[in-house]
Amino acid sequence: MSAAPGGPGKHPTKQLMLLGVAQAVLFVAGALLGRWVGLLLGLDAFGPGGYTNNAIFGILLIGLGGGGGAQLARAWYIRKYGNPRS
């Protein structure tokens, strides 16, 4: 866990940018994974039928995948560099 010379709990801008990029990349990857899992299960979020139960659950899987990816990136950052909020 390294901190910037500015004081305790301060993270350099480069490290915070790494966190942002990692969260963005894993958010997209998680959302795509959720989409693919939904398609495998027959839950098409963008299907032609409108907001059916299958579409709603497909949207839910995309959201859970994206959120999970962002949280995974944040957990990696905290484990490597420490909590940026403390």
Side-chain angles (χ1 to χ4, degrees):
M1 292 194 278
S2 63
K10 298 285 184 175
H11 289 248
T13 304
K14 188 174 182 180
Q15 283 182 354
L16 293 174
M17 181 63 90
L18 179 65
L19 171 61
V21 169
Q23 283 185 315
V25 168
L26 287 180
F27 175 85
V28 171
L32 286 173
L33 182 63
R35 167 90 169 127
W36 294 330
V37 168
L39 288 175
L40 286 174
L41 296 175
L43 306 172
D44 189 3
F46 304 112
Y51 287 113
T52 62
N53 286 339
N54 285 346
I56 297 295
F57 284 115
I59 293 168
L60 180 68
L61 283 175
I62 292 171
L64 288 174
Q71 290 302 312
L72 184 64
R74 185 161 182 81
W76 164 80
Y77 181 88
I78 289 172
R79 190 170 50 250
K80 184 166 179 145
Y81 298 110
N83 193 346
R85 293 186 179 183
S86 62

